Amino acid sequence: MSKAISPFFFNSFPKSGTHLMFQILTGIHSITFDQNLHLYEGVSTQLAEHQRELEKLKESEFLSGHIYYSTSWEKLLQDLDMKQIFLYRDLRDVVVSYNYYIEKVDAPLHQYYQKKQLSKKERMLSIIRGIPELGHQDIHDWFSEFKGWLTAPNVLSVKFEDLLRSEESLDQSVQKIVKFITEEESENLDQNVIERAKENISTKGSATFRKGTIGNWKEEFDDEITTVFKETAGQLLIELGYEKDLLW
C-alpha cells in the first residue's frame, strides 16, 4: 500500500452479514478492530460517547456498529473526516436470519418468544409486523432508521448479496471496498491484497453466522408471511432494488 489507511466506520443493518464483512476488512493489509466494541443505535444521548470512541481510532483501525442515520451522526463523521461502509441485505432474508438468531442467542426477544411460546411462523410475522409492546418496529420502519446512509456523502453502500452472488461479483465488491478505504486509484490496486481479503472469508468461528445464503426466505415464507411482508415492506424492497414489483 502506498498510502496509510485512515480510520473508518463500518455500519450494518442487523443480520446483514456483519461477520462476513469483518473477515473481508481484516483480510486487507493490517486492518484491525476491537471485536468487543460495537456501537448501537446512535441516538442523541449517545453521540458524545460515540465521538470519543471514534476519536480513539488509529491508522488501519475501524469501529463497527448498527447505527441509525441522523444528520447529527452524519455531521460527526464529516467533522472527523471519517468514511463509512454500510452493509445491508434483502429484508426477507433478514427476517429469516433474525428469527434463527433470536432462537439461538439469549437476546432480548429470545425471552419474549420463550414466554409467549410462539411458533417459527409467529416469530417471523412478529419481526415483520413489529412488537409494539416492546417498542420493536416493523421491518419497514426499522430499516427506515438506517436508510439515510444510502445517500449520505462519503459512504460506500454494499449489498450482502453482491458478496455471495458469484466469484466475479465478490471480486468487484472487494475491489470497491479496498479502493474506498485505501484511496488508491483503480490501476494501482494490489491484486494480492484483494485476493487475501477474499481468502480470509470463512463461515467457521462465528456465533451468529448461520447459512449466509441468498433467497433463503423462499424456503421459509408461506403465503400468509409473503402477503404480510408485501403489505409492510413490499414497496421498500422495490426501492432497494430487490424486486421490480409486488408479483413475487
Side-chain angles (χ1 to χ4, degrees), residues 32 34 62 80 93 99 106 164 180 182 191 207 228 230 244:
T32 61
D34 184 348
F62 72 88
L80 295 174
D93 282 330
N99 176 51
D106 190 18
L164 292 182
F180 181 71
T182 64
Q191 291 301 314
V228 171
K230 288 179 181 181
K244 295 181 179 179

Side-chain angles (χ1 to χ4, degrees), residues 98 102 109 126-127 129-138 142:
Y98 193 42
I102 294 167
L109 287 183
S126 73
I127 293 170
R129 288 172 168 154
I131 310 173
E133 63 189 278
L134 298 182
H136 203 291
Q137 296 166 297
D138 67 45
W142 189 19

Side-chain angles (χ1 to χ4, degrees), residues 38-246:
H38 195 72
L39 304 185
Y40 290 94
E41 295 181 335
V43 296
S44 58
T45 55
Q46 300 170 314
L47 202 62
E49 174 191 350
H50 289 175
Q51 180 173 346
R52 286 192 295 270
E53 295 298 342
L54 289 168
E55 288 175 340
K56 291 178 185 177
L57 292 176
K58 300 181 176 68
E59 285 185 355
S60 297
E61 288 184 343
F62 72 88
L63 189 56
S64 63
H66 299 315
I67 294 294
Y68 298 158
Y69 172 81
S70 69
T71 54
S72 298
W73 238 89
E74 180 184 322
K75 184 177 185 302
L76 170 60
L77 291 178
Q78 288 179 337
D79 290 345
L80 295 174
D81 193 23
M82 189 171 289
K83 295 183 176 187
Q84 177 187 167
I85 294 173
F86 176 61
L87 180 67
Y88 64 107
R89 184 183 192 181
D90 186 323
L91 296 175
R92 295 165 295 192
D93 282 330
V94 167
V95 169
V96 173
S97 180
Y98 193 42
N99 176 51
Y100 280 103
Y101 170 75
I102 294 167
E103 186 179 38
K104 182 171 60 173
V105 178
D106 190 18
L109 287 183
H110 177 83
Q111 295 180 5
Y112 174 82
Y113 287 161
Q114 290 287 324
K115 182 179 179 180
K116 295 286 188 179
Q117 295 186 313
L118 301 182
S119 67
K120 181 171 72 171
K121 176 177 178 175
E122 288 170 331
R123 293 195 304 266
M124 287 194 288
L125 285 171
S126 73
I127 293 170
I128 297 169
R129 288 172 168 154
I131 310 173
E133 63 189 278
L134 298 182
H136 203 291
Q137 296 166 297
D138 67 45
I139 192 68
H140 174 279
D141 291 351
W142 189 19
F143 185 82
S144 294
E145 298 280 10
F146 294 80
K147 193 169 67 170
W149 292 122
L150 295 174
T151 54
N154 224 19
V155 176
L156 175 66
S157 295
V158 179
K159 284 185 174 181
F160 171 78
E161 292 78 13
D162 289 341
L163 303 176
L164 292 182
R165 183 172 290 109
S166 66
E167 187 68 26
E168 181 182 4
S169 180
L170 171 62
D171 190 71
Q172 291 174 350
S173 296
V174 173
Q175 286 194 51
K176 289 178 184 177
I177 292 166
V178 172
K179 182 178 179 181
F180 181 71
I181 60 178
T182 64
E183 299 184 348
E184 290 281 6
E185 298 297 329
S186 298
E187 59 270 20
N188 295 330
L189 287 180
D190 187 340
Q191 291 301 314
N192 290 325
V193 172
I194 294 169
E195 288 305 314
R196 283 197 297 271
K198 290 161 57 180
E199 291 168 0
N200 205 44
I201 296 173
S202 170
T203 60
K204 298 179 181 179
S206 169
T208 59
F209 193 98
R210 191 177 63 87
K211 292 181 68 175
T213 54
I214 299 172
N216 192 223
W217 65 270
K218 296 175 184 177
E219 301 172 14
E220 303 280 350
F221 281 21
D222 63 13
D223 289 344
E224 182 183 1
I225 297 174
T226 298
T227 297
V228 171
F229 193 98
K230 288 179 181 181
E231 292 171 348
T232 306
Q235 290 297 328
L236 182 56
L237 279 185
I238 296 171
E239 184 180 339
L240 295 175
Y242 285 101
E243 295 291 347
K244 295 181 179 179
D245 51 42
L246 295 176

